[in-house]
Amino acid sequence: MSPAVSFFERLLKRDGAITIAGLFALWVLTWAYLAAGAGLGMSAWDMTRLALLPYQPIEGSTTAMSSMPAMSDMPGMAMDSMAPAWDSAHWGLMVAMWWAMMIAMMTPSAAPTILLYARVHRHAQTQGQMATRPATAAFVAGYFLIWLAFSIAATAVHQALESAGVVSAMTMGSQVQWLSGTALIVTGLYQLSPLKNACLSHCRAPAEFLSRHWRPGPRGAIRLGVVHGAYCIGCCWMLMVLLFVGGVMNLAWIAALSLLVLAEKVLAKGRWVGYCAGVVLMAWGAVILLQ
């Protein structure tokens, strides 16, 4: 046996650990990128806050805006006027920020399916049923490519809401009562909907998903990743809308939504976690609208 073949066989036996390490590194890097401000020149930590009425500014907040009260009192000078214009460079940064955020949020809940795919592919390789190509990387690439498409759409919505004056350019969160309340209620209703349940079923059963949609080769792996990502978007897109309520760069909201997505997909009672979250969100939205 040649040294190259022996090395490859050892690598195959360890590809599970390699996949886990790669996913963990990707998760850490995207979180670090967000915490550093995602290249937008603003501190994510300053934009992180908790509030029962998230559309209202908090007195004594440590955000950059609250540290400049005089600016908001200047005639014709709104705080949001300090935000960068939506030129092509800013658009690119915003897409990158949204994409990094989606990767950071979705990697933990996607990991079981990715690891199962790597295991199935490794078994097929050892049986001589597949060529020795990096199909797991292709699957991951397909999965996050569909989230890139979602991020582009989210950036377009972000620009529209900011231009309409309902989302702050500085906090990247809702500035109006009706948007916060409506988003919470609609997201709560979606949590209880048949469409949400159908998409979640595919995410909660990776073995069944792989057996139903499996295609051989790198192209098949990319297609499989795209399909899996599409089901994840169908499951979670309304939860991502809530980022406009608490603040797109609010690390507390990002972490909370990440944990909710993970719980829904991997816990035995994950469906009930989603149902309970839906009820809470609807009640929260109602309280905001009735203020």
Side-chain angles (χ1 to χ4, degrees):
M1 182 180 297
S2 68
V5 173
S6 177
F7 171 77
F8 181 74
E9 288 181 347
R10 292 197 302 270
L11 193 63
L12 277 179
K13 294 178 181 179
R14 299 176 183 174
D15 73 335
I18 293 173
T19 302
I20 292 173
L23 291 175
F24 181 75
L26 181 64
W27 180 74
V28 169
L29 287 173
T30 49
W31 266 102
Y33 177 71
L34 293 173
L40 296 171
M42 296 183 284
S43 170
W45 297 105
D46 285 342
M47 288 187 280
T48 297
R49 62 178 191 172
L50 297 174
L52 291 177
L53 303 177
Y55 66 91
Q56 294 181 347
I58 302 175
E59 277 188 45
S61 172
T62 59
T63 63
M65 293 69 67
S66 65
S67 65
M68 297 181 293
M71 182 65 72
S72 62
D73 296 332
M74 291 183 183
M77 179 67 76
M79 286 184 291
D80 280 359
S81 66
M82 300 171 58
W86 281 84
D87 55 16
S88 58
H90 187 66
W91 235 92
L93 285 172
M94 292 297 289
V95 170
M97 180 270 292
W98 270 99
W99 195 25
M101 185 161 50
M102 295 303 101
I103 294 173
M105 295 176 71
M106 300 307 300
T107 296
S109 61
T113 303
I114 295 171
L115 293 172
L116 180 60
Y117 178 88
R119 182 179 179 183
V120 172
H121 187 265
R122 179 176 70 250
H123 178 74
Q125 284 181 319
T126 58
Q127 299 300 315
Q129 299 173 8
M130 285 189 183
T132 55
R133 296 178 182 177
T136 302
F139 177 81
V140 174
Y143 180 79
F144 287 125
L145 277 175
I146 194 68
W147 279 106
L148 173 59
F150 175 86
S151 300
I152 294 171
T155 301
V157 173
H158 192 154
Q159 181 183 14
L161 293 174
E162 187 178 307
S163 299
V166 294
V167 165
S168 168
M170 298 299 291
T171 65
M172 298 189 187
S174 171
Q175 298 186 119
V176 292
Q177 181 178 3
W178 67 262
L179 177 61
S180 297
T182 302
L184 287 164
I185 290 174
V186 173
T187 301
L189 288 171
Y190 189 75
Q191 287 289 106
L192 309 178
S193 70
L195 179 57
K196 162 80 178 194
N197 187 60
C199 293
L200 183 60
S201 296
H202 288 275
C203 297
R204 285 179 55 84
E208 181 180 345
F209 168 80
L210 292 177
S211 64
R212 178 177 299 181
H213 299 281
W214 183 272
R215 296 291 187 279
R219 288 186 180 180
I222 292 176
R223 177 189 177 278
L224 193 61
V226 168
V227 172
H228 183 56
Y231 280 122
C232 287
I233 290 175
C235 177
C236 304
W237 73 277
M238 276 303 302
L239 290 175
M240 302 310 171
V241 170
L242 295 184
L243 292 168
F244 290 117
V245 176
V248 172
M249 288 285 285
N250 188 327
L251 298 179
W253 277 69
I254 296 172
L257 291 173
S258 301
L259 290 174
L260 176 57
V261 170
L262 181 63
E264 284 185 326
K265 292 185 179 182
V266 304
L267 294 183
K269 300 294 184 180
R271 292 186 190 276
W272 287 102
V273 172
Y275 295 153
C276 292
V279 173
V280 170
L281 290 173
M282 286 189 289
W284 190 3
V287 168
I288 289 177
L289 290 180
L290 292 173
Q291 289 293 313

